Amino acid sequence: MTWKPVAKKFKVMRSAKKIMGTVFWDSRGVLLFETLKPGETINAARYCQTLDKLREAIRRKRPGQLTNGVILQHDNATPHTARVTQGWLEKYGWEILPHPPHRPDLAPSDYHLYGPLKRELAGKRFDDYEELVDHVQKWLQNLDGSFFQEGIYSMVRRWQKCVDRLGCYVEK
């Protein structure tokens, strides 16, 4: 008796392509939603262009907020910490709320927004990039205002727990 390898045929399915999206939001709702086209990447120059769009969105949607001051929380990704980005933030006087590395439990988008978005998209198929982006845009627009308030207010509670426990706090 000899052993012969058996060839198995697998059904080839098109894998889901990922797109990169950025959502800037405050306690009143979405300020800016932007995606990169498939294959595009983010760098500091591109991130500064996004910040220009965010600044314009704040001017339009939250009159007076630019003069009152902007506090931005973003992680420590290279485009966020690059000199050109830091220069942009200094130029406009935006304050950065520090974000400890590897702490998604302290970033409102990570713990409050992306979970419900993943559940919304679960099992859905989209024919193309535009259909997916349109679906996400509509989903964001239909979120109740209290959703965003809750996300920002829970950040205060989470940060306080982290401080009280000397950084030894992870909430899942």
Side-chain angles (χ1 to χ4, degrees):
M1 185 177 241
T2 59
W3 178 82
K4 285 185 176 181
V6 178
K8 275 230 174 199
K9 289 191 176 189
F10 292 93
K11 185 177 178 182
V12 178
M13 293 179 65
R14 213 172 61 183
S15 64
K17 292 182 181 176
K18 293 185 179 186
I19 64 165
M20 182 172 180
T22 304
V23 183
F24 291 94
W25 55 283
D26 65 7
S27 63
R28 292 168 37 197
V30 174
L31 294 163
L32 178 69
F33 169 62
E34 183 178 67
T35 60
L36 295 178
K37 298 265 191 256
E40 285 185 334
T41 58
I42 190 88
N43 59 28
R46 178 69 168 80
Y47 187 63
C48 287
Q49 291 173 356
T50 298
L51 292 176
D52 285 332
K53 292 175 188 174
L54 175 60
R55 189 170 186 278
E56 177 58 25
I58 293 170
R59 188 190 64 70
R60 272 190 346 273
K61 295 179 178 182
R62 308 288 187 268
Q65 186 63 52
L66 290 172
T67 55
N68 293 338
V70 173
I71 300 173
L72 179 67
Q73 183 187 34
H74 57 201
D75 60 22
N76 301 320
T78 303
H80 303 165
T81 59
R83 258 184 267 179
V84 66
T85 303
Q86 296 305 307
W88 190 101
L89 295 166
E90 266 182 43
K91 176 182 173 182
Y92 292 109
W94 287 18
E95 183 181 342
I96 299 301
L97 183 63
H99 177 69
H102 312 295
R103 293 303 300 264
D105 56 316
L106 297 177
S109 290
D110 288 338
Y111 67 74
H112 191 72
L113 183 66
Y114 296 145
L117 177 57
K118 282 182 182 181
R119 287 189 292 279
E120 169 63 24
L121 297 175
K124 291 187 171 65
R125 290 203 141 340
F126 302 96
D127 291 328
D128 55 32
Y129 164 83
E130 288 78 18
E131 186 181 356
L132 169 61
V133 171
D134 184 55
H135 184 87
V136 172
Q137 183 79 46
K138 286 177 182 168
W139 180 80
L140 288 167
Q141 288 171 347
N142 289 329
L143 288 173
D144 184 67
S146 63
F147 175 87
F148 297 101
Q149 252 185 352
E150 182 185 317
I152 296 297
Y153 293 150
S154 66
M155 178 176 65
V156 174
R157 180 184 53 78
R158 286 168 176 258
W159 276 74
Q160 189 59 55
K161 276 186 180 179
C162 186
V163 168
D164 293 345
R165 295 180 181 167
L166 304 174
C168 295
Y169 163 71
V170 176
E171 185 167 323
K172 300 198 184 236

